Amino acid sequence: LEILVTVLNENDNSPVFAQPNLTRDVPEDTKVNTAIVAREELSATDADLDTIYYELTTTVQDTDGYFAIRGVNNPEIYLQKVLDYDKFNSTTLLLYARDRPVTSPELTNTATATITIAIKQSDTRAPWFLPCSHLHNDTGVCISSPYSGRVNISEMSVEPLLLEPGPLYAVDPDYTISDRIVYSIVGGNTDEVFSVDADTGNITMNKIVTSPDSFLLQVMATQVSNIRKYSVATVEIKVINKSDYPPYFEKGIYNGTVFVGLPRRSFVYQAGDPSTPLVITAMDKDFPDV
């Protein structure tokens, strides 16, 4: 009597990842569709020789949609959306490997691999002049106001010019890189009257100014490691007559009179002389004819 025995394969083994924990550093400027983790590193095996079905999720809030797998049977992870270091700098992905489709009613065995992604800031932005204000609450854009200062006509100043709203200063907004900034005057410096310290940004005079015309300097801040990363700020230097004396009031105390019931914007009159409006006058010895 010959008996033929057929052994049926039972689904009694779970898929297995060769590396259940992976870490990857991803530059912020990585191009969309770039492979982050290769298929070979993420493919799971199954002793039952079943087809493996993959699913990728993220555990960190607001990081959905940035990374994806190529297909349900291809676990290669690729970048699906442009990264922004200011929005998040790390996330954790969970890759599930199942021996049945997600919708299958059959008993399914599952394995999980954890992929830790660290975003590395890239040199993507030009220097910012400070102080500056973020545009529409976007931390990636910061707009600065023009600088302004004054010099006295026919007078040589040996100290760095005082500017408003503050000293000429720029920073690398890619703060984990924080490249060194150098400064140069690239326009508006008629007769080379001014110079700028390449390291500090301090503006000083090379010669006296004999004309009352203002200067509109264009100062460039450049990153040392990449001269194509630069910004230009405007510095207005007004030329004024020297002021040796502070203004002063003609009187120390002024007395006025108002009448009950008068409408708004009515004149205040001099006390004791209700027909003459009260006038407060200041004088300056630097301008005796004004």
Side-chain angles (χ1 to χ4, degrees):
L1 179 63
E2 183 177 305
I3 300 174
L4 180 63
V5 178
T6 301
V7 179
L8 300 178
N9 188 15
E10 184 177 349
N11 185 20
D12 56 355
N13 292 285
S14 296
V16 176
F17 283 105
Q19 300 182 71
N21 293 283
L22 288 170
T23 299
R24 284 292 182 275
D25 292 339
V26 182
E28 177 187 15
D29 59 352
T30 299
K31 296 187 179 301
V32 170
N33 208 40
T34 299
I36 304 302
V37 186
R39 177 177 186 171
E40 294 73 19
E41 295 183 83
L42 292 173
S43 294
T45 58
D46 189 342
D48 297 319
L49 303 181
D50 292 320
T51 300
I52 306 297
Y53 301 87
Y54 297 94
E55 180 187 8
L56 185 70
T57 64
T58 180
T59 63
V60 179
Q61 187 176 5
D62 298 328
T63 62
D64 287 330
Y66 285 90
F67 300 93
I69 55 175
R70 297 291 185 186
V72 69
N73 299 122
N74 182 354
E76 179 181 272
I77 297 176
Y78 70 98
L79 183 64
Q80 187 172 242
K81 191 163 64 171
V82 175
L83 295 171
D84 186 343
Y85 185 86
D86 291 329
K87 291 183 177 178
F88 71 97
N89 53 39
S90 66
T91 187
T92 300
L93 308 175
L94 296 179
L95 179 64
Y96 298 98
R98 300 183 176 92
D99 55 12
R100 295 291 185 273
V102 175
T103 58
S104 174
E106 300 180 41
L107 174 66
T108 302
N109 295 310
T110 304
T112 304
T114 301
I115 302 96
T116 302
I117 302 291
I119 311 301
K120 298 300 181 181
Q121 192 170 41
S122 300
D123 190 9
T124 59
R125 293 175 291 192
W128 288 349
F129 280 97
L130 301 181
C132 64
S133 301
H134 292 297
L135 187 64
H136 306 310
N137 295 320
D138 183 354
T139 57
V141 180
C142 206
I143 306 299
S144 60
S145 300
Y147 295 88
S148 63
R150 299 182 301 176
V151 295
N152 295 325
I153 193 168
S154 301
E155 182 174 302
M156 184 72 178
S157 175
V158 296
E159 298 294 329
L161 302 188
L162 297 178
L163 302 178
E164 294 291 340
L168 185 74
Y169 182 62
V171 297
D172 181 358
D174 300 312
Y175 50 87
T176 62
I177 299 173
S178 192
D179 199 1
R180 188 166 69 89
I181 306 297
V182 293
Y183 305 88
S184 59
I185 298 176
V186 295
N189 193 15
T190 305
D191 295 331
E192 302 296 320
V193 172
F194 301 98
S195 61
V196 63
D197 187 287
D199 295 317
T200 66
N202 287 333
I203 296 177
T204 53
M205 297 184 69
N206 298 322
K207 60 183 74 172
I208 63 172
V209 182
T210 58
S211 168
D213 297 333
S214 297
F215 291 80
L216 204 60
L217 305 179
Q218 303 294 315
V219 180
M220 183 169 67
T222 308
Q223 293 182 203
V224 170
S225 65
N226 186 353
I227 61 174
R228 294 187 177 183
K229 290 288 191 305
Y230 69 89
S231 294
V232 177
T234 299
V235 183
E236 182 183 14
I237 306 297
K238 294 181 179 180
V239 181
I240 63 173
N241 290 319
K242 184 178 180 181
S243 178
D244 293 318
Y245 304 97
Y248 65 93
F249 289 103
E250 289 184 313
K251 298 179 182 180
I253 299 176
Y254 289 83
N255 296 307
T257 299
V258 294
F259 300 97
V260 176
L262 289 177
R264 294 175 60 186
R265 304 180 68 84
S266 295
F267 283 120
V268 176
Y269 292 92
Q270 292 185 20
D273 186 0
S275 63
T276 304
L278 178 64
V279 178
I280 299 176
T281 305
M283 304 293 289
D284 191 329
K285 292 182 181 179
D286 291 306
F287 307 97
D289 298 328
V290 177

